[in-house]
């Protein structure tokens, strides 16, 4: 048996996670969809479909939702569940079987995968730079069949960048040198369309009785009640933002039609928002960066011959698109993918010691500086500070699971200023961000939180108490730069 199917998935995106063989006498191919939760624009699904076609076997798509994670909450799980409802609908019309599965206790998904593996030819999973619930790699070495993981995270395959880049400038220049080759390697928008496969056979009785699919409930009005059986943090209640690939497509459309045009000039506004709102959908894999890029390229009537020849590292001018589109791509590609790159290349991505030396040095010099305010995690969590703008941002985070980017920077900087030490600030930042933000526990979470302490930045003068030469921000300046009155009213104390 060849170790590769005839496949359009680029080799740089595929990684074998064990040395077990492909069981060509197995009953089906499994796609274990635990990070890239969508039916389209999905390299891993495409790879699994390629294998199923080549082996002439049925394809089972299994979407597990685990419950052992530190920040698992009713908020984030409801968002994922809404996506599962979309996926059930999207897979309905295809030749593949769809098996959505909710853990009621940690470890159940592992048992499910092991039971599936007994009759599988191989298992294809999602590669992701951070540890996630239900990651098959942790069990991969003892599986009886091949486990392959496929990376669809960014426009740039993770394996391509040899090191963690320290600045956006150096990463941008690297992208400008080598991204061109990958921009045409897009995943199929509908990898299962017109695919003819044998029908997915019923799974074993043990699986069906002990690890039942929740597919039927997803289609009913009581889908939310499924979460009641899961041990989740219910203090973090569901947000209004609706999850799922279907909502993601609508959010992308709204952005391109109504907001993009203002992206350069008004992206810092907080009373009316002009950014895309796509980060939670990107985080849970409900939308692909490739799909966003394609839609933007269409919107801009863009063709690859417009790409600049020289890698300058500059923010504007390389893509050959309009100014707002280029500014957006700098966030979506440079800033998002530098975070993917860091988490992929550095095991210490969430450790204080991963900060650049200059930042550690200056923060250490000022670690014992007197602080006018020191707040505990609880006080911060309850928005009990002296600063009305900060409190409003924190209330938005708790109520809605988000803070607009500009305020999020201020929010982070103040936690550094009001914590007993920079190490304590880092702990609080990670805890509040990942607990409440719908897009939390993402590589971008660590880029953002560590940026507060100097990652990807440079020293700024004048040297100040607490911050040293780490970039400083003040609520007064922020309130001068952007209109906040309406925002303060909207997120006043209840
Ligand atoms: C303290 C702090 C914590 C943060 N935590 C997170 C987090 O948990 N999850 C998260 O996705 N982002 C985080 N960010 C980055 C940024 O705030 C969000 O990505 C952005 O606000 C999401 O809104 P949007 O989708 O409308 O962005 P848009 O402006 O529409 O940008 C499109 C996409 O580009 C990426 N992007 C935008 N800004 C940034 C940025 N500054 N850094 C990295 N990628 C970016 C996101 O994937 C975003 O969805 C954090 C920033 C700070 C300062």
């Amino acid at each position: 048996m060849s170790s590769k199917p005839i496949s359009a998935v680029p080799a740089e995106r595929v990684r074998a996670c064990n040395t077990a063989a492909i069981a060509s006498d197995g009953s089906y191919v499994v796609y274990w969809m635990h990070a890239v939760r969508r039916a389209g624009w999905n390299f891993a699904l495409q790879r699994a479909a390629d294998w199923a076609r080549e082996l002439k076997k049925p394809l089972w798509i299994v979407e597990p939702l685990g419950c052992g994670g530190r920040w698992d909450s009713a908020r984030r799980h409801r968002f994922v569940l809404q996506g599962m409802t979309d996926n059930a609908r999207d897979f309905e019309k295809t030749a593949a079987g769809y098996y959505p599965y909710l853990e009621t206790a940690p470890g159940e998904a592992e048992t499910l995968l092991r039971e599936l593996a007994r009759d599988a030819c191989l298992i294809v999973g999602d590669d992701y730079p951070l540890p996630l619930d239900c990651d098959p790699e942790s069990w991969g070495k003892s599986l009886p069949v091949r486990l392959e993981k496929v990376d669809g995270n960014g426009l740039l395959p993770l394996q391509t960048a040899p090191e963690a880049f320290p600045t956006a400038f150096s990463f941008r220049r690297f992208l400008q040198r080598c991204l061109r080759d990958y921009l045409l390697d897009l995943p199929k928008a509908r990898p299962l369309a017109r695919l003819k496969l044998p029908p997915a056979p019923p799974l074993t009785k043990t699986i069906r009785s002990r690890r039942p699919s929740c597919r039927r409930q997803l289609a009913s009005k009581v889908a939310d009640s499924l979460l009641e059986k899961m041990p989740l943090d219910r203090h973090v209640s569901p947000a209004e933002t609706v999850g799922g690939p279907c909502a993601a497509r609508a959010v992308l459309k709204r952005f391109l039609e109504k907001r993009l045009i203002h992206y350069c000039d008004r992206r810092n506004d907080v009373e009316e928002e002009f950014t895309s709102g796509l980060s939670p959908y990107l985080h849970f894999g409900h939308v692909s960066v490739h799909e966003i890029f394609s839609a933007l390229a269409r919107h801009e009537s863009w063709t690859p011959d417009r790409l600049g020849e020289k890698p300058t590292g500059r923010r504007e001018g390389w893509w050959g698109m309009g100014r707002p589109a280029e500014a957006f791509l700098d966030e979506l590609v440079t800033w998002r993918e530098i975070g993917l790159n860091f988490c992929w290349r550095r095991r210490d991505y969430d450790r204080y010691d991963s900060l650049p030396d200059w930042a550690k040095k200056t923060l250490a010099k000022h670690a014992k500086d007197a602080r006018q305010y020191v707040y505990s995690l609880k006080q911060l969590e309850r928005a009990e500070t002296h600063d009305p703008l900060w409190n409003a941002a924190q209330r938005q985070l708790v109520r809605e699971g988000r803070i607009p980017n500009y305020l999020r920077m201020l929010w982070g900087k103040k936690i550094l200023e009001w914590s007993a030490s920079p190490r304590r600030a880092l702990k609080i930042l990670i805890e509040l961000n990942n607990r409440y933000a719908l897009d939390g526990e993402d590589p971008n979470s660590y880029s953002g939180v560590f940026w507060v302490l100097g990652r990807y930045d440079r020293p700024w003068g004048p040297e100040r108490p607490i911050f040293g030469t780490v970039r400083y921000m003040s609520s007064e300046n922020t309130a001068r730069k952007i209109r906040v009155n309406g925002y303060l009213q909207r997120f006043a104390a209840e």
Side-chain angles (χ1 to χ4, degrees):
M1 167 57 48
S2 151
S3 63
K4 289 194 245 167
I6 304 159
S7 170
V9 176
E12 300 91 319
R13 294 192 179 270
V14 182
R15 192 164 64 88
C17 300
N18 62 11
T19 51
I22 291 164
S24 41
D25 58 346
S27 306
Y28 45 74
V29 170
V30 173
Y31 170 38
W32 185 259
M33 188 167 76
H34 83 296
V36 178
R37 297 173 179 276
R38 59 176 180 263
W41 300 89
N42 180 339
F43 274 127
L45 173 57
Q46 191 173 317
R47 175 85 175 179
D50 286 341
W51 271 121
R53 196 186 51 230
E54 178 136 329
L55 296 164
K56 300 190 177 55
K57 299 286 179 179
L59 173 61
W60 266 114
I61 297 159
V62 182
E63 183 175 2
L65 177 58
C67 63
R70 175 161 162 207
W71 293 293
D72 286 353
S73 64
R75 172 169 299 170
R76 296 174 58 187
H77 275 51
R78 178 143 173 272
F79 195 88
V80 177
L81 197 69
Q82 287 165 331
M84 287 173 137
T85 307
D86 288 356
N87 288 337
R89 230 179 292 120
D90 287 345
F91 287 124
E92 182 116 330
K93 304 154 211 144
T94 70
Y98 174 61
Y99 203 88
Y101 176 71
L102 266 53
E103 274 190 344
T104 52
E108 290 174 351
E110 176 180 352
T111 320
L112 170 61
L113 184 72
R114 289 193 186 285
E115 281 162 9
L116 285 163
R118 284 192 199 154
D119 294 323
C121 306
L122 85 154
I123 294 159
V124 178
D126 301 321
D127 228 347
Y128 190 71
L130 295 183
L132 283 182
D133 281 0
C134 305
D135 185 346
E137 192 162 352
S138 28
W139 324 311
K141 295 233 160 39
S142 58
L143 290 174
V145 287
R146 158 98 68 96
L147 169 67
E148 270 185 0
K149 277 177 141 189
V150 180
D151 155 29
N153 294 286
L155 293 184
L156 186 79
L158 290 168
Q159 296 188 33
T160 316
E163 60 191 336
F165 283 82
T167 61
F169 179 81
S170 58
F171 185 59
R172 202 180 285 118
R173 209 166 43 181
F174 177 80
L175 288 174
Q176 292 172 354
R177 246 197 338 265
C178 55
L179 197 57
R180 179 185 308 264
D181 294 345
Y182 298 103
L183 290 179
L184 300 177
D185 268 341
L186 302 181
K188 291 182 187 167
R190 292 164 64 225
L192 303 184
R194 289 189 292 280
L195 183 71
K196 292 208 169 64
L197 295 175
L203 296 173
T204 61
K205 253 193 187 160
T206 320
I207 293 182
R208 283 181 287 135
S209 61
R210 298 219 189 123
R211 310 276 168 252
S213 154
C214 62
R215 185 166 183 166
R216 217 173 284 145
Q217 291 96 314
L218 285 179
S220 74
K221 289 205 174 99
V222 296
D224 279 358
S225 66
L226 285 166
L227 297 180
E228 284 163 18
K229 296 194 192 117
M230 301 182 85
L232 300 172
D233 182 348
R234 288 175 209 288
H235 171 81
V236 184
S237 54
E240 267 180 25
T241 311
V242 175
C246 187
R249 283 191 289 271
V251 166
L252 175 58
K253 188 164 180 283
R254 175 190 68 184
F255 175 65
L256 294 176
E257 286 175 2
K258 305 218 163 96
R259 297 183 172 188
L260 174 64
I261 191 167
H262 304 292
Y263 192 79
C264 286
D265 311 324
R266 302 192 62 186
R267 66 175 290 243
N268 292 339
D269 283 16
V270 296
E271 298 195 343
E272 195 180 345
E273 285 183 47
F274 292 97
T275 66
S276 67
L278 283 166
S279 59
Y281 302 99
L282 281 160
H283 173 65
F284 288 108
H286 290 162
V287 70
S288 149
V289 65
H290 294 94
E291 178 174 5
I292 301 173
F293 178 73
S294 292
L296 184 67
R298 243 188 345 269
H299 182 269
E300 298 281 300
S301 310
W302 178 87
T303 45
D305 55 307
R306 294 220 219 143
L307 288 174
E309 289 300 325
K310 277 200 185 142
T312 59
R314 277 204 221 105
R315 224 176 297 171
E316 283 185 8
W318 183 74
W319 292 97
M321 294 196 192
R323 261 189 80 222
E326 295 221 342
F328 176 67
L329 283 175
D330 201 52
E331 301 301 336
L332 180 74
V333 185
T334 311
W335 281 103
R336 178 169 175 272
E337 298 199 17
I338 199 175
L340 293 169
N341 160 260
F342 200 96
C343 293
W344 180 252
R345 289 287 167 207
R346 297 274 301 256
R347 288 179 144 224
D348 61 352
Y349 65 88
D350 61 347
R351 296 286 149 89
Y352 187 84
D353 289 335
S354 70
L355 282 169
D357 287 342
W358 70 265
K360 278 187 287 192
K361 217 162 145 191
T362 193
L363 289 172
K365 185 172 158 200
H366 292 275
K368 300 220 164 91
D369 288 355
R371 277 129 169 96
Q372 194 178 356
Y373 303 97
V374 176
Y375 295 112
S376 66
L377 172 62
K378 277 278 156 261
Q379 285 171 307
L380 292 167
E381 194 166 20
R382 294 188 196 126
E384 291 171 356
T385 79
H386 64 285
D387 182 332
L389 185 54
W390 192 91
N391 290 345
Q394 172 64 20
R395 282 191 208 105
Q396 184 182 19
L397 180 65
V398 169
R399 287 182 207 161
E400 298 186 350
R402 65 202 188 95
I403 310 178
N405 182 57
Y406 195 69
L407 272 191
R408 206 170 190 176
M409 293 175 358
L410 176 77
W411 173 85
K413 290 288 181 186
K414 292 292 131 184
I415 293 179
L416 172 57
E417 189 176 332
W418 300 333
S419 296
S421 71
R423 282 179 191 271
R424 180 77 196 134
L426 178 63
K427 278 205 173 126
I428 294 177
L429 275 161
I430 293 177
E431 185 60 32
L432 291 181
N433 189 81
N434 288 356
R435 185 161 189 221
Y436 288 101
L438 263 177
D439 60 10
E441 223 184 336
D442 186 272
N444 280 348
S445 317
Y446 297 97
S447 298
V449 157
F450 276 82
W451 171 86
V452 167
L453 295 118
R455 184 184 288 174
Y456 302 134
D457 214 352
R458 62 173 173 85
W460 291 80
E463 189 163 346
R464 295 171 187 272
I466 306 170
F467 285 78
T469 53
V470 166
R471 188 197 296 244
Y472 172 79
M473 283 175 79
S474 81
S475 300
E476 295 71 28
N477 270 345
T478 304
R480 264 197 294 276
K481 278 190 193 156
I482 53 177
R483 278 188 308 161
V484 295
N485 286 347
Y487 184 84
L488 288 171
Q489 274 170 24
R490 203 169 130 216
F491 297 106
E494 272 164 353

